């Protein structure tokens, strides 16, 4: 079985109870959802991909959204079972559910565990009630922490998200908040700086000057502080915004960053498989009708040439603390790392202390990590 | 048949921008039947888009009107529209020399402005009879009596015969026509003498070739005649003689006192010199007309294409513009920062702006313009004298005996309340006050100023200080010795040639500090810190540092949506393309443009 090519499976559930003002993911609010119909549609979309990719071993399944913890556990179980029927699951296959930390959803956690999930990723987002309110979250800190307890009781592996670098957030406030977060013994944390995404409610407020983000120096300070505190707590960054105990990194996300094959099933889901970029119809209704008409929810299926694959692999891989393995890079993209980068720029960046370059691996230094975009722009040929 | 001298009137219109010159001209044309109302597009005379937008005239133009006066006779009225700006002072002087009188149009609410003054004095120097026209008397804010008093005080001409008009409503237009006939004298001339005509202006017409505007003094100009340009020494065969009404009308001949045009199969405007005397090649006149000058550019700057691939297109476009405007010059220049471009010479700042704007607009070029500089004269230790058009060419200071810079005499007209700030501005720019007079709530200031202080950002500053109310005009008064040094700007220890400039030693530090502060804001943070220095010779006089970039990272990677991250990278790289690499520093094109524009912040 280890000889089989690995595959990561992403399932998108596009519905939310309400839309958060910072979020630009593909989420929709609908009054009623025909869950049986949706289950069948997801299964059909999945079967379409399975037919193209026989004989793989699945290393991870990730249910994202939207809010997949609004799904009936039975629906998720049906999808997981189908994945297991189409392919063989790795013995330690990582099956993750994104969940909102509120009491209604936490009540279903036992059901999800029975359905096959071994890992949950909680959208805790903040340990401050005023901040949660500003972020448009429905839960309180107390409710969130209660959900975290339940999650840690039911799942072997738990992660939670926090959004920092928020309007008005001081260094001291974040330091206290992060210290508290690190005290729960959770093995994995996703710590994202608040980013204003286009066409969100926050983008409008920001444009009107009603939402003011911390200045660049403060953001840089907060980022550095985060690196230092998580490392000290034994959860160093293994990716720009992701921190884990040794061995607790998200295998599913690693597939993205290492540019391994992954399929994306469900509205708006993205995939990279067989040197092809796939994108499903974003709007749930369009995805459903595309499925009925063509047998898949595909909206875009674009072959990627070696150059594009190499660019993608570079910009994903450089985010990892481990960096890019030259051999894996060449195998995945059909191009050498050397041919993908501007070697003069690489040497300059090495001299500036932004990257470390060995023949078998290219990685950011801790100094280069906060400026990875600028490094990439300089490095990419 | 040429017109009889006693029934010809040649006149120009003197007015400040917006005081209604073009509207008045349009009314005169309309009333004498030159164009029907339907044919009149707004402001017939200003042909080019830029002229229409800015309300200024760049080329001299003329319109011949037939007017039946109250005495029953039909008069030929030649309305000469002259360029309204000091940059074109020489062209203006030639246009004025072609006339015997002028209408002085003054806005009944605004009163006399500096530009009006400069032009009216010129007109007086040409012994013109001036007919004051108080325009816009229909405006609620009109104060014709006050304006009349001001004209008498400031200009010193009688306003007893002033005409009250509203070019907008048509009020008083008939009175203007009568006043032209009554007060402006007919031209003098000799039908039988050898041809003597003045080349007033010329331009390139895609259908006709070069069109030459002429004023005949003596003799006749006819089709088929062989003419000679006396200064240029060239001969041409006249293939067309005509007048503008304002539409072209071909006629048989132009006689003494008449204004019209000829074409003579000339391909380039550069072959025709404004102010030259045109005579009959076979029977030349004994004496050329006085006052001919070769036009010399006074302001220089570098023009570089933003996209290096457009260099040839820029050359081609400059060549085409020069077909129609021989008064600017250009030669290839190369800059380490900006690549290949051209060093161009202009008659003044407005001229520079016009050419730049036409290149951008008509030829669709994206340009970087370097800081305007003036022509310095240098006496070197070895006795050689050189002229310096480009700060980059400055010789080693130790070889220079002395440097002279051009000076101007500036006339500024301003409401009282801005006087203090304007005096300070002039002092700061090394000005020498020559005169200060008050006329009814307004001050007229005369200053001598170094031209290099004026080309810097003087005009912008003046406009901003006075909220646009002050008006400004100048003429050159020659070169004077000055304590001038070349200031270089260094980014990350590398001199940026496009930013070097020649400044007065006393102003160098302030200018240098300002330039460094400016560049600090304009150059984005890099992965390393970047010193920006201003230096004279090896001595640093100002310094700023751009801190190293601390954060440039996308927090989330959007699920598996890599395309989105790739777009971000593409955008970042696209942005880099619009930068100039300077050593290891990327300087945005906009930084050069903004740094050189100056003046809007301090």
């Amino acid at each position: 079985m280890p000889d089989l090519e690995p595959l990561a499976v992403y399932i998108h559930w596009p519905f939310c109870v309400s839309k958060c003002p910072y979020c630009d993911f593909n989420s929709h609010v609908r009054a009623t959802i025909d869950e049986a119909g949706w289950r069948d549609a997801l299964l059909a979309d999945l079967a379409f991909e399975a037919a193209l990719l026989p004989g793989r071993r699945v290393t991870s399944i990730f249910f994202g959204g939207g809010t997949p913890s609004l799904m009936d556990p039975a629906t998720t179980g049906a999808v997981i079972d189908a994945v297991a029927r189409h392919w063989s699951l790795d013995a330690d296959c990582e099956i993750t559910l994104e969940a909102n930390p509120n009491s209604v959803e936490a009540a279903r956690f036992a059901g999800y565990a029975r359905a096959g999930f071994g890992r949950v990723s909680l959208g805790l987002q903040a340990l401050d009630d005023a901040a949660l309110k500003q972020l448009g979250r429905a839960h309180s800190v107390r409710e969130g922490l209660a959900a975290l307890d339940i999650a840690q009781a039911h799942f072997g592996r738990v992660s939670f998200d926090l959004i920092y670098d928020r309007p008005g957030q001081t260094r001291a406030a974040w330091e206290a908040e992060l210290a508290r977060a690190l005290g729960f013994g959770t093995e994995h944390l996703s710590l994202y700086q608040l980013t204003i995404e286009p066409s969100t409610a926050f983008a409008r407020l920001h444009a009107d000057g009603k939402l003011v983000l911390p200045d660049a120096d403060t953001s840089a300070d907060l980022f550095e502080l985060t690196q230092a505190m998580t490392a000290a707590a034994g959860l160093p960054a293994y990716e720009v915004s992701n921190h884990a105990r040794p061995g607790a990194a998200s295998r599913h996300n690693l597939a993205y960053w290492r540019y391994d094959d992954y399929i994306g099933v469900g509205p708006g889901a993205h995939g990279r498989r067989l040197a092809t970029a796939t994108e499903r119809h974003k709007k749930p209704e369009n995805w459903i009708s595309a499925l009925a008409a063509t047998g898949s929810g595909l909206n875009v299926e674009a072959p990627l040439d070696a150059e594009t694959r190499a660019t993608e692999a570079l910009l994903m891989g450089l985010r990892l603390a481990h960096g890019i393995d030259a051999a894996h890079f060449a195998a995945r993209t059909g191009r050498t790392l050397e041919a993908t980068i501007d070697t003069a720029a690489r040497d300059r960046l090495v001299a500036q202390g932004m990257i470390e370059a060995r023949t078998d691996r290219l990685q950011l230094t801790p100094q280069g990590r906060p400026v990875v975009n600028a490094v990439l722009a300089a490095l990419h040929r | 048949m040429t017109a009889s001298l006693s029934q010809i009137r040649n006149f120009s219109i003197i007015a400040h921008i917006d005081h209604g010159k073009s509207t008045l001209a349009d009314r005169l044309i309309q009333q004498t039947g030159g164009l029907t109302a339907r044919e009149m597009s707004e402001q017939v005379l200003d042909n080019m888009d830029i002229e229409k937008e800015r309300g200024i005239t760049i080329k001299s133009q003329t319109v011949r009107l037939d007017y039946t006066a109250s005495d029953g006779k039909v008069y030929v009225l030649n309305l000469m529209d002259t360029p309204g700006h000091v940059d074109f002072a020489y062209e203006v002087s030639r246009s004025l020399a072609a006339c015997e009188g002028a209408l002085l149009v003054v806005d009944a609410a605004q009163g006399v402005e500096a530009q009006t003054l400069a032009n009216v004095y010129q007109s007086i120097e040409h012994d013109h009879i001036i007919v004051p026209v108080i325009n816009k008397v229909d405006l609620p804010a009109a104060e014709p009596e006050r304006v009349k008093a001001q004209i008498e005080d400031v200009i010193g001409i009688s306003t007893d015969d002033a005409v009250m008009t509203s070019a907008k409503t048509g009020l008083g237009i008939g009175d203007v026509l009568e006043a032209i006939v009554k007060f402006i004298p007919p031209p003098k001339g000799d039908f039988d003498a050898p041809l003597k005509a003045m080349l007033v202006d010329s331009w390139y017409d895609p259908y006709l070739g070069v069109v030459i505007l002429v004023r005949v003094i003596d003799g006749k100009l006819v089709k088929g005649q062989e003419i000679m340009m006396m200064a240029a020494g060239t001969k041409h065969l006249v293939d067309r003689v005509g007048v503008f009404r304002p539409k072209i009308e071909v006629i048989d001949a132009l006689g003494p006192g008449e204004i019209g045009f000829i074409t003579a199969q000339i391909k380039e405007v550069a072959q025709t010199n404004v102010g030259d005397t045109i005579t009959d090649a076979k029977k030349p006149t004994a004496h050329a007309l006085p006052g001919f000058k070769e036009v010399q550019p006074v302001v220089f700057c570098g023009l570089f294409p933003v996209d290096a691939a457009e260099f040839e297109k820029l050359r081609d476009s400059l060549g085409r513009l020069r077909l129609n405007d021989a008064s600017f010059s250009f030669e290839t220049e190369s800059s380490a920062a900006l690549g290949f471009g051209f060093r161009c010479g202009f008659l003044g700042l407005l001229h520079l702006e016009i050419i730049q704007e036409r290149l951008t607009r008509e030829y669709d070029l994206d340009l970087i313009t370097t800081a305007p500089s003036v022509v310095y004269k240098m006496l070197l230790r070895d006795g050689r004298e050189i002229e310096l058009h480009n700060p980059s060419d400055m010789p080693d200071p130790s070889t220079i005996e002395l440097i002279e810079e051009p000076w101007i005499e500036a006339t500024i007209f301003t409401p009282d309340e801005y006087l203090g700030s304007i005096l300070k501005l002039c002092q700061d720019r090394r000005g020498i006050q020559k005169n200060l007079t008050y006329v009814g709530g307004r001050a007229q200031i005369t200053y001598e100023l170094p031209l290099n202080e004026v080309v810097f950002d003087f005009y912008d500053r003046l406009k901003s200080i006075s909220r646009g109310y002050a008006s400004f005009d100048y003429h050159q008064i020659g070169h004077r010795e000055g304590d001038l040094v070349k200031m270089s700007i260094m980014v990350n220890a590398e001199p940026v040639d496009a930013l070097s400039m020649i400044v007065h030693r006393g102003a160098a530090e302030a200018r240098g500090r300002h330039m460094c502060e400016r560049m600090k804001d304009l150059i984005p943070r890099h992965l390393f810190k970047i010193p920006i220095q201003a230096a004279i010779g090896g001595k640093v006089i100002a310094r700023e540092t751009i801190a190293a970039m601390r954060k440039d990272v996308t927090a989330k990677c959007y699920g598996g949506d890599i395309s989105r991250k790739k777009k971000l990278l593409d955008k970042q790289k696209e942005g880099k393309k619009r930068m100039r690499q300077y050593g290891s520093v990327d300087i945005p094109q906009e930084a050069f443009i903004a740094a050189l524009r100056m003046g809007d912040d301090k």
Side-chain angles (χ1 to χ4, degrees):
Chain A
M1 203 163 75
D3 301 319
L4 299 176
E5 254 202 90
L7 182 70
V9 176
Y10 177 78
I11 309 290
H12 192 84
W13 185 259
F15 303 110
C16 283
V17 174
S18 62
K19 182 108 190 155
C20 297
Y22 57 87
C23 175
D24 72 333
F25 279 30
N26 187 32
S27 65
H28 303 264
V29 178
R30 297 286 183 273
T32 54
I33 295 155
D34 164 19
E35 188 146 345
W38 271 87
R39 179 196 59 211
D40 294 345
L42 285 171
L43 292 176
D45 208 18
L46 181 68
F48 176 88
E49 289 291 313
L52 294 172
L53 297 154
R56 299 283 188 122
R57 63 186 171 94
V58 171
T59 51
S60 65
I61 307 172
F62 194 102
F63 284 69
T67 310
S69 53
L70 294 174
M71 295 167 85
D72 190 309
T75 307
T76 62
V79 174
I80 293 168
D81 291 348
V83 173
R85 271 200 311 279
H86 291 306
W87 298 283
S88 52
L89 298 193
D90 258 5
D92 55 354
C93 180
E94 175 190 277
I95 305 178
T96 307
L97 176 76
E98 265 182 6
N100 274 336
N102 59 48
S103 50
V104 180
E105 292 167 41
R108 288 196 290 267
F109 283 1
Y112 291 128
R114 276 195 300 277
F117 288 100
R119 186 173 181 270
V120 73
S121 170
L122 282 180
L124 220 49
Q125 314 306 13
L127 299 177
D128 177 295
D129 279 330
L132 285 172
K133 199 171 167 201
Q134 184 178 33
L135 292 170
R137 304 295 294 177
H139 64 273
S140 64
V141 175
R142 212 170 65 148
E143 204 175 0
L145 294 181
L148 179 63
D149 277 345
I150 301 171
Q152 291 188 333
H154 281 99
F155 302 96
R157 299 176 60 196
V158 174
S159 170
F160 62 82
D161 292 2
L162 291 178
I163 294 174
Y164 72 106
D165 198 26
R166 305 184 301 249
Q169 191 173 36
T170 62
R171 187 189 156 95
W174 172 235
E175 192 172 0
E177 190 171 343
L178 181 57
R180 191 177 174 201
L182 288 165
F184 303 134
T186 315
E187 64 164 23
H188 186 285
L189 297 180
S190 296
L191 306 170
Y192 299 112
Q193 291 206 335
L194 177 60
T195 308
I196 302 300
E197 303 292 354
S199 328
T200 57
F202 271 9
R204 286 184 289 280
L205 289 172
H206 188 248
D208 295 347
K210 290 173 185 157
L211 185 83
V212 182
L213 294 179
D215 62 46
D217 277 330
T218 306
S219 310
D221 285 345
L222 295 186
F223 188 84
E224 279 171 17
L225 177 70
T226 305
Q227 308 305 303
M229 287 179 67
T230 51
L235 283 80
Y238 68 96
E239 190 263 357
V240 171
S241 303
N242 285 278
H243 305 258
R245 278 199 209 123
S250 159
R251 243 167 280 161
H252 185 79
N253 282 334
L254 282 175
Y256 298 157
W257 292 317
R258 289 181 179 155
Y259 208 56
D260 288 329
D261 269 3
Y262 57 92
I263 59 166
V265 166
H270 289 260
R272 289 286 183 281
R273 41 87 170 143
L274 306 171
T276 302
T278 64
E279 187 184 337
R280 258 57 186 175
H281 283 279
K282 283 184 96 163
K283 203 177 169 206
E285 291 74 11
N286 295 352
W287 176 79
I288 291 273
S289 45
L291 255 176
T294 68
S296 90
L298 276 172
N299 182 31
V300 178
E301 191 174 21
L304 301 167
D305 57 22
E307 189 188 337
T308 307
R309 293 202 300 274
T311 300
E312 293 191 341
L314 176 72
L315 60 86
M316 293 303 272
L318 211 57
R319 295 175 66 88
L320 288 171
H322 175 84
I324 299 169
D325 281 322
H328 183 72
F329 182 95
R332 290 299 306 156
T333 67
R335 258 195 166 207
T336 64
L337 185 53
E338 187 91 357
T340 306
I341 59 177
D342 176 345
T343 48
R346 176 197 61 196
D347 296 345
R348 219 164 39 236
L349 290 163
V350 169
Q352 288 162 2
M354 296 293 152
I355 55 174
E356 272 175 50
R358 308 193 320 228
T359 46
D360 62 338
R361 199 201 291 177
L362 180 74
Q363 70 189 125
L364 290 171
T365 61
Q367 196 192 335
R369 188 173 302 146
V371 289
V372 55
N373 289 358
V375 170
L376 268 169
L379 199 56
H380 185 243
R381 175 173 282 180
Chain B
M1 251 311 277
T2 57
S4 118
L5 282 168
S6 64
Q7 271 150 264
I8 298 174
R9 299 290 183 275
N10 297 321
F11 67 101
S12 65
I13 302 180
I14 300 165
H16 186 71
I17 292 168
D18 293 340
H19 283 198
K21 178 172 79 168
S22 299
T23 318
L24 177 65
D26 291 351
R27 283 290 178 191
L28 295 176
I29 296 166
Q30 195 183 9
Q31 188 130 341
T32 54
L35 284 176
T36 61
R38 187 212 289 260
E39 282 172 316
M40 306 257 311
S41 90
E42 274 283 296
Q43 307 194 346
V44 176
L45 289 181
D46 291 343
N47 268 331
M48 285 186 257
D49 282 352
I50 295 174
E51 292 187 322
K52 278 192 183 149
E53 269 169 43
R54 296 190 171 212
I56 50 167
T57 306
I58 297 165
K59 284 281 169 192
S60 301
Q61 295 185 52
T62 175
V63 187
R64 178 167 168 149
L65 313 168
D66 291 334
Y67 172 59
T68 309
S70 56
D71 62 9
K73 292 184 196 155
V74 179
Y75 288 83
V76 170
L77 310 184
N78 286 308
L79 160 57
M80 177 74 75
D81 194 17
T82 59
H85 193 273
V86 57
D87 282 5
F88 310 103
Y90 180 64
E91 280 85 341
V92 174
S93 81
R94 295 306 86 197
S95 301
L96 292 179
C99 300
E100 282 76 36
L103 301 179
L104 168 63
V105 180
V106 181
D107 183 309
Q110 306 269 329
V112 177
E113 303 281 356
Q115 203 183 56
T116 325
L117 271 187
N119 288 339
V120 81
Y121 287 145
Q122 276 212 46
S123 190
I124 290 168
E125 273 173 35
H126 284 93
D127 298 324
H128 283 179
I129 298 299
I130 313 266
V131 178
V133 174
I134 316 293
N135 194 29
K136 305 196 188 180
V137 292
D138 58 317
L139 289 184
E143 292 179 87
E145 288 313 312
R146 185 184 69 81
V147 170
K148 275 166 80 171
Q150 196 196 22
I151 292 172
E152 298 207 350
D153 283 352
V154 179
I155 304 171
I157 58 173
S158 162
T159 54
D160 293 348
D161 300 317
V163 187
M164 301 293 153
T165 60
S166 166
K168 206 172 113 199
T169 65
L171 173 81
I173 301 303
D175 298 341
V176 173
L177 289 164
E178 279 300 308
I180 291 167
V181 169
K182 192 167 161 201
F183 298 116
I184 293 177
K188 298 190 185 76
D190 183 347
F191 275 93
D192 302 318
L195 172 66
K196 182 190 279 191
M198 183 173 62
L199 197 162
V200 178
D201 207 345
S202 62
W203 59 87
Y204 184 81
D205 180 286
Y207 302 105
L208 306 175
V210 172
V211 176
I212 301 172
L213 192 60
V214 292
R215 157 72 198 266
V216 179
I217 312 295
D218 294 323
K220 275 203 307 190
L221 251 177
V222 293
K223 182 181 171 179
Q225 192 174 11
E226 194 188 8
I227 54 163
M228 181 169 72
M229 310 279 196
M230 295 182 75
T234 53
K235 294 179 183 178
H236 305 276
L237 205 61
V238 175
D239 61 5
R240 202 180 275 107
V241 176
V243 293
F244 298 100
R245 286 185 170 281
K247 285 182 291 188
I248 282 182
E249 183 182 315
V250 173
I251 60 171
D252 298 333
L254 285 168
E258 288 192 286
I259 295 173
F261 74 89
I262 56 169
T263 60
Q265 293 173 337
I266 300 174
K267 297 279 182 291
E268 285 179 31
V269 169
Q271 292 174 270
T272 60
N273 301 304
V274 169
D276 204 346
T277 304
I278 297 172
T279 191
D280 191 308
K282 298 200 176 69
K283 199 174 67 168
T285 179
H287 303 287
L289 293 160
F292 172 73
K293 275 201 303 197
E294 286 258 13
V295 179
Q296 293 289 347
V298 294
V299 174
F300 286 78
C301 75
L303 292 179
F304 294 84
V306 165
D307 178 355
E310 289 199 319
F311 173 75
E312 284 304 329
K313 186 178 171 194
L314 175 58
R315 184 207 296 278
D316 193 49
S317 309
L318 285 167
R320 281 197 216 178
L321 282 184
R322 212 183 121 75
L323 278 184
N324 200 19
D325 181 355
S327 57
F328 84 94
S329 62
F330 64 98
E331 57 186 49
T332 328
E333 178 183 7
S334 87
S335 150
L338 305 175
F340 284 100
F342 295 92
R343 192 78 190 164
C344 304
F346 305 92
L347 298 176
L349 281 178
L350 179 80
H351 190 212
L352 183 162
E353 268 185 59
I354 288 167
I355 297 287
Q356 191 191 344
E357 210 169 309
R358 291 189 63 186
L359 287 168
T360 312
R361 205 184 291 195
E362 294 168 30
Y363 296 92
D364 198 26
L365 283 159
D366 227 350
L367 294 177
I368 299 178
T369 311
T370 65
S373 82
V374 299
V375 179
Y376 298 95
K377 290 184 178 168
M378 301 197 179
L379 177 62
L380 302 182
R381 292 252 152 91
D382 63 9
R384 278 189 304 142
E385 282 178 40
I386 58 165
E387 280 195 354
L388 186 73
H389 295 171
N390 187 345
S392 312
D393 300 336
M394 175 105 159
D396 184 325
S398 65
T399 66
I400 301 169
E401 181 69 34
L402 64 87
I403 306 179
E404 288 185 343
E405 60 179 326
W407 280 66
I408 58 160
E409 184 178 275
T411 305
I412 299 166
F413 232 51
T414 176
D416 281 358
E417 62 220 88
Y418 309 115
L419 182 62
S421 324
I422 291 175
L423 290 178
K424 180 167 184 312
L425 175 67
C426 291
Q427 283 314 125
D428 288 348
R429 299 302 167 87
R430 299 190 279 137
I432 302 166
Q433 191 178 317
K434 302 306 277 184
N435 198 12
L436 170 59
T437 51
Y438 292 92
V439 186
R442 292 178 75 86
Q444 182 193 334
I445 319 156
T446 311
Y447 256 89
E448 290 180 354
L449 286 156
L451 183 60
N452 93 346
E453 299 284 350
V454 174
V455 299
F456 184 51
D457 64 347
F458 184 87
Y459 196 47
D460 289 344
R461 299 284 306 131
L462 182 69
K463 272 192 291 192
S464 106
I465 286 175
S466 68
R467 294 161 197 264
Y469 282 112
S471 55
F472 168 77
D473 209 334
Y474 70 89
H475 63 269
Q476 292 205 63
I477 52 173
H479 277 69
R480 292 179 190 174
E481 190 178 345
D483 187 6
L484 298 162
V485 291
K486 178 180 166 185
M487 182 174 79
S488 314
I489 301 293
M490 293 183 294
V491 174
N492 209 23
E494 300 230 20
V496 180
D497 55 358
L499 298 177
S500 66
M501 56 176 79
I502 289 173
V503 291
H504 189 258
R505 195 181 298 275
E509 200 189 315
R511 186 90 38 99
R513 202 178 320 117
H514 182 55
M515 201 75 178
C516 289
E517 283 166 11
R518 200 68 182 252
M519 290 310 285
K520 186 189 172 183
D521 294 337
L522 292 167
I523 299 177
R525 285 185 174 199
H526 281 54
L527 289 170
F528 45 90
K529 72 176 179 196
I530 304 168
I532 299 173
Q533 296 159 306
I536 297 171
K539 187 171 168 256
V540 172
I541 54 169
R543 184 194 161 104
E544 293 282 338
T545 304
I546 301 172
M549 176 195 295
R550 292 192 57 199
K551 208 195 96 183
D552 182 14
V553 56
T554 312
K556 275 214 166 192
C557 70
Y558 316 111
D561 184 2
I562 306 180
S563 322
R564 187 156 162 187
K565 271 221 66 183
K566 185 161 176 295
K567 270 180 207 148
L568 216 81
L569 179 69
D570 290 344
K571 213 171 130 191
Q572 221 167 347
K573 297 192 62 159
E574 195 51 44
K576 268 188 89 158
K577 270 199 206 146
R578 287 196 52 92
M579 307 227 193
R580 295 278 171 179
Q581 275 221 325
Y582 224 84
S584 46
V585 179
D586 296 318
I587 305 181
Q589 312 267 4
E590 300 79 40
F592 289 105
I593 299 166
L596 298 170
R597 185 165 291 132
M598 289 287 177
D600 51 12
D601 56 349
K602 212 167 69 167

